[in-house]
Amino acid sequence: MTTITLRNLRKEFDDVVAVNGLDLTVRDGEFLVVVGPSGCGKSTTLRLLAGLETATDGEIRMDDRDVTGTEPKDRNVAMVFQNYALYPHMTGRRNVTFGMNAGGSFTDEEINRRVAEAAETLDITDLLDRKPQAMSGGERQRVALGRAIVRDPDAFLMDEPLSNLDAKLRIQMRAELTQLHAELGTTTVYVTHDQTEAMTLGERVVVMDDGRIQQVDPPQSLYDFPANRFVAEFIGDPAMNMIDVAVEEGVAVHDAFRIPLPAGNAADETGSGSETESLADPDAGDRSHAVLGVRPEDLHLARERPDLGETEFDATVDVTEPLGDSLLVHCSVGDATFKMSAEPRSSLDPGGTVSVTYDSERLHLFEPETGEAFYHSATAPAPSDRIERVVTD
Amino acid sequence: MTTITLRNLRKEFDDVVAVNGLDLTVRDGEFLVVVGPSGCGKSTTLRLLAGLETATDGEIRMDDRDVTGTEPKDRNVAMVFQNYALYPHMTGRRNVTFGMNAGGSFTDEEINRRVAEAAETLDITDLLDRKPQAMSGGERQRVALGRAIVRDPDAFLMDEPLSNLDAKLRIQMRAELTQLHAELGTTTVYVTHDQTEAMTLGERVVVMDDGRIQQVDPPQSLYDFPANRFVAEFIGDPAMNMIDVAVEEGVAVHDAFRIPLPAGNAADETGSGSETESLADPDAGDRSHAVLGVRPEDLHLARERPDLGETEFDATVDVTEPLGDSLLVHCSVGDATFKMSAEPRSSLDPGGTVSVTYDSERLHLFEPETGEAFYHSATAPAPSDRIERVVTD
Amino acid sequence: MSTREIFDGRLEAALLLAPTAIVSLVFLYYPTALAFRTSFFDSGFGRVPEFVGLENYASLLGNPEYHSSVLLSVIFAAIVVVGVISVSLYLTFLIHEVDAGQGWYLISVIWPYALPPAVGALVFLFIFHPTLGVLTGPIEALGIELDWFNDGPQAFVVVALAAIWKQIGYNVIFMIAAMKNIPDALTETAELDGVGRLRRLVSVYVPIMTPTLFFLVIIDTIYAFFGTFAFVDLLTSGGPSNATNVLIFDLYREAFSFFNFGTASAKSVVLFLVVAALMAVQFRLTEEYSYYGA
Amino acid sequence: MGLGGGSAAEFSPVAEELTAWHAMGGTNGETLDQIATDFEDEHGIAANMEFQDSYENVLTNTLAAFDSGNVADMFQVDSLFAQQVFDTDQVRPVAEILPDDFDTGVFLDNVTEFFTVDGELASLPFNNSNAIMYINRDAFEEAGLDPDDPPSTLAEVRSASETLVDEGVTQYGITWPNHVWFVETWYGFEGELMTDAENGHAGDPSTFYTPDAVYDLYEWWKGMADDGLYTNPGIEAWGEATSLFIEEEAAMVLTSTASVAGLIADSEDFTVDAAPYPGISETRVGPVIGGASFYVPEGLPADRYEEIGQLLRYMAQPEVQTEWHKGSGYYPITQPSVESLREEGWFEENPMYNVALEQLQNGDASDPATKRALLGPARNVQTVIQNASVDIVNADDVGSEIEAMKSEVESVLSDYYE
Amino acid sequence: MTGAIQYAKRRFESARAAIGAETGSETPESTTDLGAAGIHFQLWLLAGLVLFPILVTVVVSTKQQGIVTSLPDLLPGTYAVENYREAIVDYGFGRFMWNSLLMSVVIVVGKLVVSVLAAMAIVYYRVPYKDLVFLFVLFTLLLPVPVRFVPLFQLMNDLGWSNSLLAITVPYIASATTVFILRQHFLSIPTSIVETAKLDGVGPVKFTLQVLVPMSRGVLVGVSIIMFVYAWNQYLWPLVIIDSEANQVAQVGLQLLQGDVQGGQLSWSLVMAGSVLTLLPPLALMILFRKPLLETFAIQQK
Ligand SMILES: Nc1ncnc2c1ncn2[C@@H]1O[C@H](COP(=O)(O)OP(=O)(O)OP(=O)(O)O)[C@@H](O)[C@H]1O
Ligand SMILES: Nc1ncnc2c1ncn2[C@@H]1O[C@H](COP(=O)(O)OP(=O)(O)OP(=O)(O)O)[C@@H](O)[C@H]1O
Ligand SMILES: [Mg+2]
Ligand SMILES: [Mg+2]
């Protein structure tokens, strides 16, 4: 049970700044997911935690120990790699026990007990006598988890542990990981570039881009109150629609439509830099350029959601994609294009015109230059969830 | 522009039957997606089409040519591989033209024109002078597509072309592929194990398992009218819930609930083997064992969908997973567990009891042994879509 | 899964194989066959070969000196192979682990491979000559009396050392590639687990490198039997008391000093059989223990 | 290929030019090349001196050439391997090739004795030498020994060595290459035959003689080694033995008379002197001759022999011999060249050369014991003796090892002559 | 030059340190845990030991008589220029080197061509009894020159090849090792690339020249170095089969430098100068192409 604290953590490789001043606290027993696009520094952060890379600057603390310069083996963390990193020539059991023997801190008996326990937990008892070659991807990953578990580390560090698995297996393993964490309660830092994984697994999610933390929040807050365009577009599939608008007296104005903005919240008063006027005061909020963000599932065919009132506008259907549980409709209105969800079995002809309505509770506005969110029409999340929010630029 | 017909196609490797008697027609200009779990024979099928494997039995026709024994190069098909298969030592341009020169059927001028065209279409003009090493995954795949396009083949064969790309890129490339196909109209067979890809890309989707075709249908039909449990569970994420029930006088009976089955359709009258009585006749349909299938998104919290009437039952909440646009709730009722979608911002405590309702238009029943669907509560799709439906077992 | 056999023409394949096959047949197999044949003759320069049946073999069979030469060669090969592999492995590992200057360390340790064996032997003579050697003084200061012109076991050690030293480079070349190919994640996992360096080498790297190691064992065995002639010739001439009279030297001397081609051929057949037998054993072991990546 | 003019020729020469295969590396090789060039200038006949790495390899190449049919016109064979060449029956005695006006009597007696077979000069003696002792005068003086009275018997060598070592002047007293030639020389001085059939000159030998003197020799040898008075430089280690002497590790070295020039040049830090070879006892019958001679194959085209004859004669000319002697240190082997050197005062200026020549000329050429053994399996016997020498010196019981050597040599002989 | 001497001195110091350190023999385990410094120390020690002989060789080649008998003798002499000049000019060592180079290049090129073709057939053609064919090639490892020396010699004479470049190159051209290594490499080229070529109808010639060879560049270079070193160091066979000095190779030429030892000539320093000269070409190649040499030989499957 460990709290991990990063203070102004930096890592430079020759010419690249991989991690650019992270401040973050991983709470004791928390399942923290780090998500971000490829190359944003997720793995580097994790490897810094593990001690596999040396920080260029900054500090890493585990509970009250400063471990910044500590050898990996002395940090008592266990890492699970994307490609499993099982020793190919050892049986499952040897793989699991190999690291334990190294420490020398376990008796044979204890090792046996722990392996049996872990195998039980992960349901890999049958696999213990096989070599990795004779295991499927999921089985390998489970053994790799087993190896991490038996050492009873202070923290688990996982680097995209599921991304080599196929979709079905990934979903299944996701559930197993959640359950495992519930059982063990070990502090876990989990890196992924898959936002679904981030959303479903994380108690809190760190979104990184370009070596910096963009937002740290529980999944749903991230989804509902993205701190900036990057987060808004990164989280959510299909991505949030972004439309250039002007804001005039509390109304988002576009050539082809006008969307009144409920007197909601100015976003993110902790946000540095974007000293935006609160839209709660409609007069102060006028500006000629803003970006309106609406998620596809918050746009609807007017005929499907009469309950949303008269706030509709017309758009042209470009393409439709059936997703099974819904129909994704690519539309254009004026010079803007957007996507929206429709009922799965709706029949819409490309080229036709549809009447579109929206959920006025789910509108977002972003600064066009900095990308900072300055308005969310929904009510802000409880502040307690947002304590760790760190803005890095 | 080519129609491809497979008749009783079989491929055996030493001890494995990889493809077990396929009958299938790929229509002229169609984008056909083959989907199925790992090892089900998708790649083998594609490779049989390409001529990279020789069929053990059966026939492959392209238009009216029997090409079963024809050399790959004489079939005039182009293949796109998962790992791009670009020649690492050649520039983009050389990669694209290398195969053209081989045929010798193009003049230099024509080659230049075609390359320019393809590069235009795929937006890879900048990449032509770079080597694959200096390209990103998506760029490589685009060049690989370019290589396929320039030869103006009768058919494109693609084997998981997007699965080496990251999620965002995959989505983007998916759209580009759709558009490309719309432009070129070339018959395309596309193999994937990702059902979302299958749903969004395919005009029709072939679901394979264990070397056999399970169902061939347009995406939404596949989703709404799965021919069997395998298809029902394979297509759709999260997967369809399967609950053991008894059927008594048109009602699905479970210890914990009773769900009346609307007098809908007996599924699949073309289905061989499963000589099920039509549930349209409620009396004849009684059986002590059946599997009820309901998709998570067709289950709702009663309080969220009062419009669905009084058909509710109580369940215990086990876990909740926020997906952003919805909340996935794992529930149990009696000995059965299932998942359901709830509004994204619902707050549900694990352990609590919720009242669940369902969309009675979206119920399915399957034979417990064979897995064949024998009842769908929705109206059957238009028969024209189902001409190619082949049952193979 | 899929196949690389993309071309079909058998005639073409035969043509492609022809140069190798012809050269092998004409310059390798045919002379070997002739050597087999000669082994049944009493033959030498200027002598009319006289068929003697198995006499050459019989005399080898009854020659205790030759028996000890066979045994000696096998022991010598074992020592050289084990020595080369373990020294190279350890060196490679150090270079793999070192944080800077890898390239220069590598060149430093592989260069003896580029040195002609005869020169290598000569240099060894300069260094370890019992009276003249550069290192003779320092070594004798350690209390080891260098006397390998008279002391058989010492001579054996010196020749083996030279042979090992010369072959390190070749092994390092292959080992470093194999070691670099081991996924970093395995190393890192071991580091996180606190697995010590040596244990990592022995328990993780070595098993994964088995295909390379077996290849090297084969090559080194062949080297130990066939490639060490120059060291014996220049350092000890097989002496003292035949302590370093390994088969290849014995064979060469029989043929080109004594001009007894019949006996020499019989000896080459025996040498061939000994090496072939060892290879067979090694291949058997390879099958059993080698790990081949997925 | 080649001239191919002769009618009954069974061999063809390897090249247009006359070709001689030799084993003279270094400056001696250069001198040979010079001789060839001068010959060409004088006679207009082109000649190639081709270095063949070693005597052993000249022999191998020659024997192989007899098999293949393309032979060199002349090849230089170590006197040790002479019988091996005769056994091929493929050489023509040079006496038959040399121009009629050439007087074969010009060679020194001791030289002629060895190279004459069946009454005819079989090969052209060219580079010849015998074994001699060199001493480090300075070391001798430092140890209180008289360098002008060097040891002449093994016993004296031992006592001189003891003094040298005891006085801490040098680490060892004496060294010499482990080469059969030195053993042969000891046999020769003692007047003992190595084998029956007059060391092989009078038939097929079968017995290897080990007279008491040989026991004395090895007892002494072993004693020297055991007491650290002698150091073994290695088998056939000519260079190492010389180096030990030059590095003043040993104050005496037994080696070839041909080393005079080299030793004088290399002994920068001390004065070297030559002394007669120390005998096992006081008996001094004579040394066995070492070095090599040029043989000519049989069966070349007839006109070829004429040219070869010219070259042979040229090589035996006093001027050439004198030049060769001065350049190489090998004996001047013809009477005229010795005389011309005398006249020149060469030997007074270079007394060490005189010691060598005198040792040769003092020898009793008529005693068969001074004729180097002419054995078919010479190389094999050589190997046996050299290896056995180490064994004997290492053994506790010299006697049984000598017997072992004897029986091994005899088995080699019987294998060959069976 | 002074740089080289400084370098040699440093190496010498390290070698001395290395020797000194031997006495205090630490167990490997204790030093490995010293971390980076420990590894460097061990490497200096071991690399020093491995390098020591070349130091001796180089030092001796700069001396007059070239006898070194103790560590203090290992200071460079002043005859370097003279020795090298003598070797190259007086003894025409350059010509021997040229012959060696010619032989090695022919062998390397021949081996490469022949082995690429064979490996190509073995990997990319559907041929029956492939494994046997491969075994047939591998088996030649067991038939090195000394075993078939005599018959080969006679064969060359029968062919009339003695004393020619053919004699010292052609018998080496079939190479089990090269075929083996190339086969390994070909097997590691992704099948999809190969299959793309097949789909495009790329013929075997084009495939070899434009796909296989460029994609194997590293291995080909690496293998060439190994083959070059092997060819360059051949001694016995050229010695026996070449009898014209003009065609002789450097390894044999070294003997000429050594002088007529039996006749009392002794030129260790010349021999060592020659040795250094013969070492240079392979060493230069190794340094120049160290990347492909050290990075391409991964043997992962049978
Ligand atoms: N050892 C290294 N040397 C140089 N640059 C490096 C090194 N490791 C990482 N980088 C660079 O640092 C940046 C961050 O890399 P990192 O591996 O942390 O990204 P990531 O977020 O894990 O990406 P992915 O999702 O692709 O794994 C990248 O630009 C990468 O190229
Ligand atoms: N060359 C081959 N030799 C032997 N068995 C093979 C070969 N190729 C495929 N198979 C087997 O045939 C079956 C079908 O393989 P195929 O590659 O077609 O599956 P797939 O559906 O493409 O799977 P994936 O999604 O993993 O690519 C598998 O069991 C596979 O092991
Ligand atoms: Mg990463
Ligand atoms: Mg596949």
Side-chain angles (χ1 to χ4, degrees), chain C residues 225-240:
Chain C
F225 275 101
F226 300 127
T228 49
F229 168 80
F231 296 109
V232 177
D233 186 34
L234 288 165
L235 292 176
T236 64
S237 300

Side-chain angles (χ1 to χ4, degrees), chain C residues 4-5 12 29 90 99 256, chain E residues 40 42 125 130 136 187:
Chain C
R4 288 187 173 77
E5 298 178 343
E12 262 169 50
Y29 283 98
Y90 190 62
D99 49 0
F256 292 96
Chain E
H40 278 287
Q42 290 188 54
Y125 274 80
K130 232 180 199 186
F136 168 85
L187 287 177

Side-chain angles (χ1 to χ4, degrees), chain A residues 166, chain B residues 11-19 34-47 53 82 159-160 191-193 208 210-211, chain C residues 1-3:
Chain A
D166 71 28
Chain B
K11 175 70 188 180
E12 295 170 18
F13 296 105
D14 313 330
D15 46 350
V16 195
V17 183
V19 170
V34 181
V35 71
S38 186
C40 71
K42 306 180 296 292
S43 297
T44 307
T45 307
L46 205 68
R47 296 165 53 77
E53 306 279 359
Q82 173 173 357
D159 194 353
E160 314 207 5
V191 161
T192 179
H193 63 254
M208 283 186 73
D210 204 13
Chain C
M1 280 297 279
S2 38
T3 175

